[in-house]
Amino acid sequence: MRYGEVAAAQRRPLDSDGGVGELIRLATLAANSHNTQPWRVTAGDGQLVLRPDPTRRCPVVDADDHHLWASLGCAVENAVQAAPELGLHATAAVTDAGVTLHLERAPAADQGASALIRRRQCTRTPYDGTALAAEELAALAAAGGDDGGVELRLLIDARDRAIALDAILEADRRQLTDAAFRRELFHWMRCTDGEALARRDGLAARVMGAPRLPRPLVRALLPVVLSAAGEAAKRRREMASSAGLAVFTGPAATPAGWIAVGRAYQRFALEATRRDLRHAFVNQPVEVAQIRPAFAAALGLGDRRPDLVVRFGRGPLAPYSLRRPVAEILTPAA
Ligand SMILES: Cc1cc2nc3c(=O)[nH]c(=O)nc-3n(C[C@H](O)[C@H](O)[C@H](O)COP(=O)(O)O)c2cc1C
Protein backbone atom coordinates (compact mmCIF):
# COMPACT_ATOMS: atom_id res chain seq x y z
CA MET A 1 0.00 0.00 0.00
CA ARG A 2 1.09 3.53 -0.64
CA TYR A 3 1.68 6.11 2.12
CA GLY A 4 -1.72 7.81 1.87
CA GLU A 5 -3.54 4.48 1.81
CA VAL A 6 -1.77 3.26 4.95
CA ALA A 7 -2.45 6.55 6.78
CA ALA A 8 -6.13 6.33 5.81
CA ALA A 9 -6.40 2.65 6.76
CA GLN A 10 -4.96 3.45 10.18
CA ARG A 11 -7.73 6.02 10.57
CA ARG A 12 -10.54 3.75 9.34
CA PRO A 13 -13.84 4.03 11.21
CA LEU A 14 -14.02 2.36 14.60
CA ASP A 15 -15.21 -1.26 14.59
CA SER A 16 -17.53 -1.13 17.58
CA ASP A 17 -17.14 -4.91 18.07
CA GLY A 18 -13.36 -4.65 17.97
CA GLY A 19 -12.77 -4.54 21.73
CA VAL A 20 -9.51 -3.46 23.29
CA GLY A 21 -7.58 -3.80 20.02
CA GLU A 22 -9.67 -0.96 18.64
CA LEU A 23 -9.29 1.01 21.87
CA ILE A 24 -5.51 0.77 21.54
CA ARG A 25 -5.59 1.74 17.85
CA LEU A 26 -7.58 4.88 18.70
CA ALA A 27 -5.37 5.67 21.72
CA THR A 28 -2.22 5.56 19.61
CA LEU A 29 -3.58 8.00 17.03
CA ALA A 30 -2.82 10.61 19.71
CA ALA A 31 -0.19 13.30 19.32
CA ASN A 32 3.20 12.24 20.60
CA SER A 33 6.62 13.81 20.63
CA HIS A 34 8.57 13.34 17.35
CA ASN A 35 6.03 10.59 16.56
CA THR A 36 8.28 8.17 18.46
CA GLN A 37 5.11 6.54 19.85
CA PRO A 38 6.88 6.07 23.20
CA TRP A 39 4.41 3.66 24.74
CA ARG A 40 3.89 -0.01 25.48
CA VAL A 41 0.51 -1.46 26.37
CA THR A 42 -0.28 -4.51 28.48
CA ALA A 43 -3.80 -5.91 28.24
CA GLY A 44 -5.08 -7.66 31.37
CA ASP A 45 -8.37 -8.65 32.90
CA GLY A 46 -10.61 -5.59 32.60
CA GLN A 47 -7.70 -3.24 32.22
CA LEU A 48 -5.02 -1.82 29.98
CA VAL A 49 -1.72 -0.58 31.33
CA LEU A 50 0.12 2.08 29.31
CA ARG A 51 3.81 2.37 30.12
CA PRO A 52 6.49 4.58 28.63
CA ASP A 53 8.86 2.84 26.22
CA PRO A 54 12.35 3.93 27.32
CA THR A 55 13.85 2.88 23.97
CA ARG A 56 11.83 5.70 22.38
CA ARG A 57 13.00 8.52 24.62
CA CYS A 58 14.43 11.71 23.11
CA PRO A 59 17.17 12.51 25.62
CA VAL A 60 18.27 15.75 23.97
CA VAL A 61 15.01 17.57 23.29
CA ASP A 62 13.29 15.95 26.25
CA ALA A 63 15.95 15.39 28.90
CA ASP A 64 13.50 15.03 31.81
CA ASP A 65 10.95 12.87 29.88
CA HIS A 66 8.38 15.63 30.12
CA HIS A 67 7.25 15.13 26.50
CA LEU A 68 7.27 11.37 26.89
CA TRP A 69 4.81 11.49 29.80
CA ALA A 70 2.69 14.15 28.08
CA SER A 71 2.51 11.85 25.03
CA LEU A 72 1.27 9.05 27.25
CA GLY A 73 -1.38 11.44 28.57
CA CYS A 74 -2.52 12.21 25.01
CA ALA A 75 -3.05 8.49 24.34
CA VAL A 76 -4.88 8.04 27.65
CA GLU A 77 -7.32 10.83 26.80
CA ASN A 78 -8.09 9.28 23.42
CA ALA A 79 -8.78 5.92 25.05
CA VAL A 80 -11.05 7.44 27.69
CA GLN A 81 -13.00 9.36 25.05
CA ALA A 82 -13.29 6.45 22.58
CA ALA A 83 -14.27 3.82 25.18
CA PRO A 84 -18.05 4.54 25.23
CA GLU A 85 -18.31 3.74 21.51
CA LEU A 86 -16.97 0.27 22.33
CA GLY A 87 -19.46 -0.21 25.16
CA LEU A 88 -16.80 0.50 27.76
CA HIS A 89 -16.24 3.04 30.50
CA ALA A 90 -12.53 3.77 31.06
CA THR A 91 -11.14 5.26 34.26
CA ALA A 92 -7.48 6.28 34.30
CA ALA A 93 -5.26 5.84 37.37
CA VAL A 94 -1.67 7.07 37.33
CA THR A 95 0.73 4.60 38.95
CA ASP A 96 4.52 4.46 39.31
CA ALA A 97 4.63 2.29 36.18
CA GLY A 98 2.45 4.45 33.96
CA VAL A 99 -1.31 4.65 33.62
CA THR A 100 -3.83 1.90 34.30
CA LEU A 101 -7.08 2.17 32.40
CA HIS A 102 -9.80 0.30 34.29
CA LEU A 103 -12.42 -0.84 31.80
CA GLU A 104 -16.01 -1.57 32.78
CA ARG A 105 -18.89 -2.63 30.55
CA ALA A 106 -21.27 0.24 29.85
CA PRO A 107 -24.13 0.90 27.44
CA ALA A 108 -22.57 1.79 24.07
CA ALA A 109 -22.76 5.52 23.39
CA ASP A 110 -21.49 7.34 20.33
CA GLN A 111 -20.61 10.95 21.17
CA GLY A 112 -18.55 11.23 18.02
CA ALA A 113 -15.17 11.08 19.74
CA SER A 114 -13.66 8.37 17.53
CA ALA A 115 -14.39 10.39 14.39
CA LEU A 116 -12.54 13.38 15.89
CA ILE A 117 -9.64 11.21 17.08
CA ARG A 118 -9.25 9.85 13.54
CA ARG A 119 -9.41 13.31 11.98
CA ARG A 120 -7.10 15.17 14.42
CA GLN A 121 -3.64 15.99 13.21
CA CYS A 122 -0.87 18.49 13.82
CA THR A 123 -0.97 20.77 10.79
CA ARG A 124 2.39 22.46 10.30
CA THR A 125 1.43 24.63 7.32
CA PRO A 126 0.78 28.37 7.66
CA TYR A 127 -2.90 29.13 8.40
CA ASP A 128 -5.17 31.71 6.76
CA GLY A 129 -4.55 34.59 9.20
CA THR A 130 -8.18 35.06 10.24
CA ALA A 131 -9.16 35.64 13.87
CA LEU A 132 -11.32 33.24 15.86
CA ALA A 133 -14.71 34.27 17.23
CA ALA A 134 -14.99 34.78 21.01
CA GLU A 135 -17.21 31.71 21.18
CA GLU A 136 -14.58 29.55 19.44
CA LEU A 137 -11.87 30.79 21.80
CA ALA A 138 -14.07 30.13 24.82
CA ALA A 139 -14.75 26.57 23.63
CA LEU A 140 -11.03 25.87 23.15
CA ALA A 141 -10.21 27.36 26.55
CA ALA A 142 -12.90 25.26 28.23
CA ALA A 143 -11.77 22.05 26.52
CA GLY A 144 -8.09 22.46 27.33
CA GLY A 145 -8.09 23.88 30.82
CA ASP A 146 -9.61 23.65 34.24
CA ASP A 147 -9.23 19.93 34.79
CA GLY A 148 -6.59 17.94 36.63
CA GLY A 149 -4.94 21.18 37.77
CA VAL A 150 -3.93 22.18 34.24
CA GLU A 151 -4.22 25.85 33.28
CA LEU A 152 -4.51 27.03 29.70
CA ARG A 153 -3.61 30.55 28.68
CA LEU A 154 -4.61 31.71 25.20
CA LEU A 155 -2.29 34.31 23.66
CA ILE A 156 -4.29 36.45 21.29
CA ASP A 157 -3.16 40.05 21.71
CA ALA A 158 -0.12 41.50 19.96
CA ARG A 159 2.00 41.85 23.10
CA ASP A 160 1.63 38.23 24.19
CA ARG A 161 2.17 36.97 20.66
CA ALA A 162 5.35 39.05 20.35
CA ILE A 163 6.65 37.54 23.61
CA ALA A 164 5.97 34.07 22.28
CA LEU A 165 7.53 34.76 18.89
CA ASP A 166 10.73 36.10 20.47
CA ALA A 167 10.99 33.07 22.74
CA ILE A 168 10.30 30.65 19.87
CA LEU A 169 12.91 32.26 17.63
CA GLU A 170 15.59 32.32 20.31
CA ALA A 171 14.94 28.73 21.45
CA ASP A 172 14.79 27.54 17.82
CA ARG A 173 18.14 29.22 17.12
CA ARG A 174 19.74 27.50 20.12
CA GLN A 175 18.34 24.10 19.16
CA LEU A 176 19.37 24.38 15.51
CA THR A 177 22.93 25.29 16.44
CA ASP A 178 23.16 22.33 18.86
CA ALA A 179 24.75 19.35 17.11
CA ALA A 180 23.16 16.84 19.52
CA PHE A 181 19.69 18.29 18.87
CA ARG A 182 20.19 18.08 15.12
CA ARG A 183 21.45 14.48 15.35
CA GLU A 184 18.42 13.44 17.39
CA LEU A 185 16.00 15.22 15.07
CA PHE A 186 17.60 13.64 11.99
CA HIS A 187 17.37 10.22 13.66
CA TRP A 188 13.58 10.61 13.80
CA MET A 189 13.20 12.17 10.35
CA ARG A 190 11.74 9.81 7.74
CA CYS A 191 13.11 11.26 4.53
CA THR A 192 11.14 9.21 1.99
CA ASP A 193 7.76 7.48 1.97
CA GLY A 194 9.65 4.17 1.85
CA GLU A 195 11.43 4.96 5.14
CA ALA A 196 8.21 6.13 6.77
CA LEU A 197 6.36 3.00 5.61
CA ALA A 198 9.13 0.69 6.79
CA ARG A 199 9.23 2.17 10.32
CA ARG A 200 5.73 3.68 10.67
CA ASP A 201 7.04 6.20 13.18
CA GLY A 202 9.01 9.46 13.16
CA LEU A 203 8.56 12.68 11.24
CA ALA A 204 7.72 11.90 7.63
CA ALA A 205 8.93 14.45 5.08
CA ARG A 206 5.49 14.76 3.51
CA VAL A 207 3.96 15.53 6.93
CA MET A 208 6.60 18.16 7.65
CA GLY A 209 6.09 19.80 4.23
CA ALA A 210 9.66 18.88 3.24
CA PRO A 211 10.81 17.44 -0.10
CA ARG A 212 11.13 13.64 -0.16
CA LEU A 213 14.78 12.89 -0.89
CA PRO A 214 17.11 9.97 -0.16
CA ARG A 215 18.51 9.98 3.38
CA PRO A 216 22.17 10.50 2.43
CA LEU A 217 21.18 13.52 0.35
CA VAL A 218 19.11 15.01 3.20
CA ARG A 219 22.06 14.41 5.55
CA ALA A 220 24.33 16.29 3.18
CA LEU A 221 21.79 19.09 2.72
CA LEU A 222 20.93 19.40 6.41
CA PRO A 223 22.81 22.68 6.91
CA VAL A 224 20.56 24.15 4.20
CA VAL A 225 17.36 22.24 5.03
CA LEU A 226 17.60 23.14 8.73
CA SER A 227 19.34 26.51 8.57
CA ALA A 228 18.63 28.81 11.50
CA ALA A 229 17.77 31.69 9.15
CA GLY A 230 15.44 29.57 7.01
CA GLU A 231 13.65 28.16 10.03
CA ALA A 232 13.28 31.64 11.59
CA ALA A 233 11.60 32.93 8.43
CA LYS A 234 9.28 29.92 8.47
CA ARG A 235 8.38 30.45 12.13
CA ARG A 236 7.57 34.12 11.50
CA ARG A 237 5.25 33.16 8.64
CA GLU A 238 3.55 30.45 10.69
CA MET A 239 3.02 32.73 13.66
CA ALA A 240 1.72 35.64 11.61
CA SER A 241 -0.78 33.31 9.96
CA SER A 242 -2.08 31.85 13.23
CA ALA A 243 -5.09 33.13 15.17
CA GLY A 244 -3.32 32.64 18.49
CA LEU A 245 -1.35 30.37 20.76
CA ALA A 246 -2.28 28.10 23.63
CA VAL A 247 0.14 27.72 26.54
CA PHE A 248 -0.54 24.78 28.88
CA THR A 249 0.86 24.73 32.40
CA GLY A 250 0.57 21.62 34.52
CA PRO A 251 -0.09 21.22 38.23
CA ALA A 252 3.39 19.80 38.99
CA ALA A 253 6.65 18.93 37.23
CA THR A 254 6.05 15.21 37.76
CA PRO A 255 4.94 12.35 35.48
CA ALA A 256 1.38 12.70 36.87
CA GLY A 257 1.41 16.45 36.15
CA TRP A 258 2.71 15.92 32.60
CA ILE A 259 0.14 13.19 31.92
CA ALA A 260 -2.55 15.68 32.97
CA VAL A 261 -1.10 18.24 30.56
CA GLY A 262 -1.10 15.71 27.71
CA ARG A 263 -4.72 14.88 28.41
CA ALA A 264 -5.66 18.58 28.44
CA TYR A 265 -3.88 19.21 25.13
CA GLN A 266 -5.64 16.22 23.55
CA ARG A 267 -9.06 17.54 24.66
CA PHE A 268 -8.16 20.94 23.24
CA ALA A 269 -7.07 19.33 19.96
CA LEU A 270 -10.25 17.27 19.63
CA GLU A 271 -12.38 20.35 20.26
CA ALA A 272 -10.38 22.27 17.65
CA THR A 273 -10.90 19.38 15.23
CA ARG A 274 -14.64 19.39 15.96
CA ARG A 275 -14.69 23.06 14.94
CA ASP A 276 -12.56 22.43 11.85
CA LEU A 277 -9.70 24.45 13.34
CA ARG A 278 -6.03 23.50 12.88
CA HIS A 279 -3.18 23.49 15.37
CA ALA A 280 0.50 22.60 15.66
CA PHE A 281 3.05 22.59 18.46
CA VAL A 282 5.66 25.36 18.77
CA ASN A 283 7.27 23.96 21.88
CA GLN A 284 10.76 25.41 21.51
CA PRO A 285 10.45 27.84 24.49
CA VAL A 286 9.46 25.02 26.86
CA GLU A 287 12.07 22.61 25.50
CA VAL A 288 15.09 24.86 26.08
CA ALA A 289 15.46 24.95 29.86
CA GLN A 290 17.43 28.25 29.77
CA ILE A 291 14.56 30.03 27.95
CA ARG A 292 11.59 28.56 29.79
CA PRO A 293 11.69 30.65 33.03
CA ALA A 294 12.01 33.96 31.16
CA PHE A 295 9.16 32.91 28.86
CA ALA A 296 6.98 32.10 31.88
CA ALA A 297 7.90 35.37 33.62
CA ALA A 298 7.20 37.50 30.52
CA LEU A 299 3.73 35.94 30.28
CA GLY A 300 3.11 36.45 34.01
CA LEU A 301 2.69 32.73 34.68
CA GLY A 302 4.20 33.06 38.16
CA ASP A 303 5.96 29.92 39.31
CA ARG A 304 3.96 27.65 37.00
CA ARG A 305 6.04 25.84 34.41
CA PRO A 306 4.83 26.22 30.82
CA ASP A 307 4.60 22.66 29.47
CA LEU A 308 3.23 22.84 25.93
CA VAL A 309 2.80 25.64 23.38
CA VAL A 310 0.41 25.22 20.46
CA ARG A 311 -0.52 27.63 17.68
CA PHE A 312 -3.97 27.46 16.12
CA GLY A 313 -6.00 28.89 13.28
CA ARG A 314 -7.84 27.95 10.11
CA GLY A 315 -6.52 26.12 7.08
CA PRO A 316 -6.75 22.94 5.05
CA LEU A 317 -5.71 19.54 6.39
CA ALA A 318 -2.24 18.25 5.52
CA PRO A 319 -0.94 14.68 5.09
CA TYR A 320 -1.31 12.44 8.13
CA SER A 321 1.47 10.75 10.09
CA LEU A 322 1.76 6.96 10.40
CA ARG A 323 1.53 4.68 13.43
CA ARG A 324 3.11 1.35 14.27
CA PRO A 325 0.75 -1.64 14.29
CA VAL A 326 -1.06 -2.35 17.56
CA ALA A 327 0.62 -5.79 17.72
CA GLU A 328 4.02 -4.11 17.94
CA ILE A 329 3.21 -2.18 21.12
CA LEU A 330 0.97 -4.72 22.80
CA THR A 331 2.39 -7.12 25.42
CA PRO A 332 -0.03 -9.81 26.61
CA ALA A 333 -0.39 -9.89 30.41
CA ALA A 334 1.96 -12.41 32.07
C1 LIG B 1 4.56 16.38 24.07
C2 LIG B 1 4.60 16.69 22.60
C3 LIG B 1 5.56 17.55 22.09
C4 LIG B 1 5.59 17.88 20.72
N1 LIG B 1 6.49 18.80 20.26
C5 LIG B 1 6.45 19.18 18.97
C6 LIG B 1 7.27 20.24 18.49
O1 LIG B 1 8.03 20.84 19.25
N2 LIG B 1 7.19 20.59 17.18
C7 LIG B 1 6.32 19.96 16.32
O2 LIG B 1 6.28 20.32 15.14
N3 LIG B 1 5.51 18.97 16.76
C8 LIG B 1 5.55 18.57 18.05
N4 LIG B 1 4.69 17.60 18.50
C9 LIG B 1 3.75 16.97 17.55
C10 LIG B 1 4.21 15.59 17.13
O3 LIG B 1 5.35 15.65 16.31
C11 LIG B 1 3.05 14.87 16.44
O4 LIG B 1 2.02 14.69 17.37
C12 LIG B 1 3.46 13.54 15.86
O5 LIG B 1 4.38 13.71 14.81
C13 LIG B 1 2.26 12.75 15.33
O6 LIG B 1 1.56 13.50 14.37
P1 LIG B 1 0.01 13.87 14.54
O7 LIG B 1 -0.14 14.59 15.84
O8 LIG B 1 -0.29 14.75 13.36
O9 LIG B 1 -0.75 12.59 14.53
C14 LIG B 1 4.66 17.27 19.85
C15 LIG B 1 3.69 16.39 20.37
C16 LIG B 1 3.65 16.11 21.73
C17 LIG B 1 2.58 15.21 22.28
Side-chain angles (χ1 to χ4, degrees):
M1 272 199 283
R2 286 199 292 248
Y3 184 102
E5 292 165 345
V6 173
Q10 295 184 333
R11 289 169 179 78
R12 66 191 176 278
L14 183 81
D15 170 5
S16 54
D17 298 324
V20 292
E22 281 294 84
L23 196 61
I24 298 168
R25 175 171 70 91
L26 272 279
T28 58
L29 290 178
N32 65 93
S33 177
H34 279 13
N35 199 23
T36 66
Q37 303 162 42
W39 37 57
R40 296 207 59 82
V41 181
T42 312
D45 192 18
Q47 66 176 39
L48 288 179
V49 181
L50 279 79
R51 292 188 176 80
D53 180 346
T55 67
R56 291 175 170 269
R57 294 181 65 237
C58 289
V60 180
V61 73
D62 187 26
D64 59 5
D65 288 337
H66 158 278
H67 282 0
L68 180 148
W69 289 107
S71 301
L72 216 67
C74 297
V76 166
E77 185 63 25
N78 271 8
V80 168
Q81 295 217 19
E85 289 175 51
L86 292 158
L88 296 167
H89 176 75
T91 318
V94 178
T95 68
D96 288 346
V99 180
T100 301
L101 283 170
H102 297 283
L103 304 175
E104 291 164 310
R105 287 261 148 239
D110 184 352
Q111 284 143 1
S114 74
L116 298 178
I117 289 169
R118 291 162 38 229
R119 188 171 164 81
R120 185 211 61 83
Q121 63 165 217
C122 290
T123 313
R124 294 181 178 82
T125 50
Y127 305 147
D128 73 2
T130 57
L132 264 54
E135 185 257 337
E136 291 173 308
L137 293 170
L140 293 179
D146 206 23
D147 194 35
V150 178
E151 285 182 18
L152 170 58
R153 170 90 176 271
L154 297 184
L155 310 184
I156 307 298
D157 68 40
R159 178 189 165 275
D160 282 352
R161 291 168 60 118
I163 289 169
L165 178 61
D166 283 351
I168 289 166
L169 292 177
E170 176 55 17
D172 216 14
R173 190 192 62 73
R174 291 193 193 204
Q175 288 182 326
L176 291 169
T177 50
D178 174 352
F181 174 87
R182 295 170 71 94
R183 256 195 313 277
E184 185 177 83
L185 182 59
F186 185 60
H187 175 74
W188 288 104
M189 280 165 63
R190 303 291 172 252
C191 302
T192 60
D193 284 356
E195 262 184 33
L197 285 165
R199 306 287 299 267
R200 303 208 179 182
D201 63 7
L203 302 165
R206 65 158 74 209
V207 173
M208 304 305 287
R212 281 166 268 157
L213 299 168
R215 193 165 193 85
L217 188 57
V218 177
R219 190 195 300 276
L221 291 175
L222 220 48
V224 182
V225 175
L226 279 185
S227 81
E231 289 295 300
K234 202 160 101 188
R235 298 281 164 254
R236 285 181 194 281
R237 270 200 308 279
E238 290 168 357
M239 294 289 285
S241 76
S242 299
L245 289 110
V247 180
F248 295 82
T249 61
T254 60
W258 298 328
I259 288 167
V261 168
R263 292 190 65 174
Y265 151 77
Q266 194 71 25
R267 284 194 301 276
F268 169 96
L270 295 177
E271 179 61 22
T273 305
R274 198 168 74 78
R275 293 170 173 272
D276 206 24
L277 300 170
R278 305 286 163 252
H279 72 280
F281 288 86
V282 274
N283 270 331
Q284 296 88 337
V286 301
E287 291 168 350
V288 179
Q290 297 83 352
I291 304 267
R292 196 167 56 224
F295 178 59
L299 291 176
L301 297 177
D303 55 8
R304 290 182 74 92
R305 168 178 166 164
D307 284 315
L308 296 175
V309 186
V310 173
R311 67 184 176 94
F312 54 83
R314 298 181 215 278
L317 287 165
Y320 281 93
S321 58
L322 300 183
R323 293 296 186 274
R324 291 180 295 145
V326 168
E328 212 175 282
I329 59 162
L330 183 62
T331 323

